[in-house]
Amino acid sequence: SDEQYANDQMDRLIFAIESFKNGDTSVRLTKERDDKFAVLSEAYNDMVDLVGGVNTEVSRISRVAGIEGNLSATASNKGAAGVWLEVINNINVLIESIANPTIEVGRILDNISKGNLSEKFQLTVTGDFKVMSETINRSLDSLNVFADEVTRVAKEVGTDGVLGGKANVPNVGGTWKTLTDNVN
């Protein structure tokens, strides 16, 4: 009967929506007649496919950027609209906001490894990234003072023959203090 058909369709729709609410995107609705339930089934299946596609893309970009370390990767927003497009775009903003400071730190460390202590952290950042950038720049300042003082003392002793010169490197500790003490 039509009433039984409507009840069965409603039960199937309720089951599918409950499954979706619980994170199961495997349930699909079939079209049995050309009626409102067929329209609902098609709309439900399209919605589940879209959310599944967004989930697949979020998983892919998490792997590529987060695990594999490809910080130039972006999530594709193909086919996304509305709130789903916002989700994808927000993921891309998140990746970029983490990638840029990370790449900048890599640039500075590469310069340090080549003996270039003149390049500082140049991005304008906030929060924890600001603390990190300030720490890096203070470290570079200390390294530069240490290098300048060692060079000065070495020149005084080696070239000028002035004995008793002392390196003055303020606000250092640990290995840098030990090195300064050893120069002196």
Side-chain angles (χ1 to χ4, degrees):
S1 79
D2 285 343
E3 187 176 328
Q4 183 61 45
Y5 167 76
N7 284 334
D8 289 346
Q9 294 302 313
M10 195 59 101
D11 288 345
R12 289 177 52 228
L13 182 59
I14 290 169
F15 175 78
I17 290 171
E18 287 290 326
S19 297
F20 180 78
K21 179 182 85 175
N22 293 321
D24 181 357
T25 58
S26 67
V27 176
R28 295 294 186 274
L29 296 175
T30 57
K31 177 179 168 183
E32 294 187 16
R33 297 182 187 171
D34 285 330
D35 59 5
K36 289 183 180 184
F37 289 111
V39 173
L40 281 171
S41 295
E42 190 173 312
Y44 171 83
N45 291 340
D46 289 347
M47 177 185 68
V48 170
D49 288 342
L50 177 66
V51 170
V54 168
N55 180 57
T56 298
E57 187 59 13
V58 169
S59 296
R60 182 193 70 79
I61 201 63
S62 295
R63 179 182 41 77
V64 171
I67 296 169
E68 296 173 9
N70 179 355
L71 298 179
S72 64
T74 57
S76 170
N77 59 17
K78 179 182 168 194
V83 71
W84 305 115
L85 180 60
E86 286 181 39
V87 167
I88 295 293
N89 290 341
N90 287 333
I91 287 169
N92 288 334
V93 167
L94 176 63
I95 291 169
E96 183 179 341
S97 67
I98 293 170
N100 289 342
T102 303
I103 290 167
E104 179 72 354
V105 168
R107 181 187 68 81
I108 293 166
L109 291 174
D110 185 54
N111 283 333
I112 291 171
S113 74
K114 294 174 182 173
N116 178 357
L117 303 179
S118 65
E119 296 287 327
K120 289 193 172 186
F121 196 99
Q122 297 175 359
L123 294 179
T124 301
V125 290
T126 59
D128 292 336
F129 286 122
K130 183 174 184 176
V131 171
M132 179 184 63
S133 71
E134 290 169 348
T135 302
I136 288 169
N137 288 341
R138 278 193 317 275
S139 298
L140 281 165
D141 290 341
S142 293
L143 284 170
N144 276 309
V145 168
F146 178 76
D148 290 346
E149 284 296 292
V150 168
T151 301
R152 182 187 60 77
V153 170
K155 183 177 180 289
E156 282 180 7
V157 172
T159 305
D160 301 340
V162 177
L163 300 178
K166 298 256 185 199
N168 180 20
V169 184
N171 304 320
V172 292
T175 301
W176 296 114
K177 183 171 181 348
T178 302
L179 286 169
T180 303
D181 292 346
N182 287 337
V183 166
N184 290 334

